[in-house]
Amino acid sequence: MLEELVFGFWFALGVYVFWFVVKAKTFQPLTLDDLALTWKLHKHQFGCKSSCIRDLLLRNNEVVGFKCECCHEFLQKRLITQRVKIATQSGRLFSPQNTSGAIGNLGITCLNIKEI
């Protein structure tokens, strides 16, 4: 009886470790270029006619996604086992604090910022 319980525990631990390595995801911050490309791709793929992003989604004070007026939600995720992309000067991470003209360059006219 005890051997079966120990075997079940090790099996459950093995399944959890396999899931963690293969499927577990975390949020990846968006760069300004990624946000613009994703917004344009969404409009093209879904035929979205909205003129603005309704909400910017934040995690740890970094933009990780957006909600469109058509109720489409995009969250940038990566596998935990993937390497983190280091932001360069041209691909700087998009922060809502330094939006001087950046939002206007995307053609986004209205947005709210929500912490997730």
Side-chain angles (χ1 to χ4, degrees):
M1 174 68 177
L2 183 61
E3 291 175 359
E4 294 170 350
L5 188 61
V6 171
F7 176 75
F9 171 76
W10 282 109
F11 180 75
L13 182 65
V15 169
Y16 174 75
V17 167
F18 178 76
W19 170 83
F20 185 79
V21 169
V22 175
K23 294 289 184 180
K25 294 184 179 182
T26 186
F27 293 107
Q28 176 72 27
L30 283 169
T31 63
L32 186 57
D33 295 335
D34 291 341
L35 180 64
L37 180 64
T38 306
W39 169 248
K40 289 178 184 177
L41 189 64
H42 159 70
K43 287 183 65 111
H44 179 72
Q45 282 184 338
F46 292 100
C48 179
K49 302 294 183 199
S50 64
S51 62
C52 64
I53 290 177
R54 185 175 65 189
D55 298 320
L56 282 180
L57 303 175
L58 297 179
R59 180 84 172 202
N60 296 330
N61 210 19
E62 295 175 326
V63 175
V64 294
F66 65 87
K67 282 186 183 178
C68 182
E69 284 184 331
C70 68
C71 298
H72 173 77
E73 180 177 302
F74 173 79
L75 288 172
Q76 179 80 15
K77 292 184 178 182
R78 67 172 174 87
L79 292 174
I80 289 178
T81 56
Q82 285 179 331
R83 293 183 183 210
V84 177
K85 181 175 104 175
I86 299 173
T88 62
Q89 183 63 21
S90 64
R92 65 188 184 279
L93 291 178
F94 179 59
S95 173
Q97 285 77 22
N98 54 5
T99 58
S100 57
I103 298 295
N105 293 341
L106 294 177
I108 300 171
T109 56
C110 59
L111 70 131
N112 298 317
I113 298 175
K114 291 191 177 182
E115 186 78 27
I116 60 169

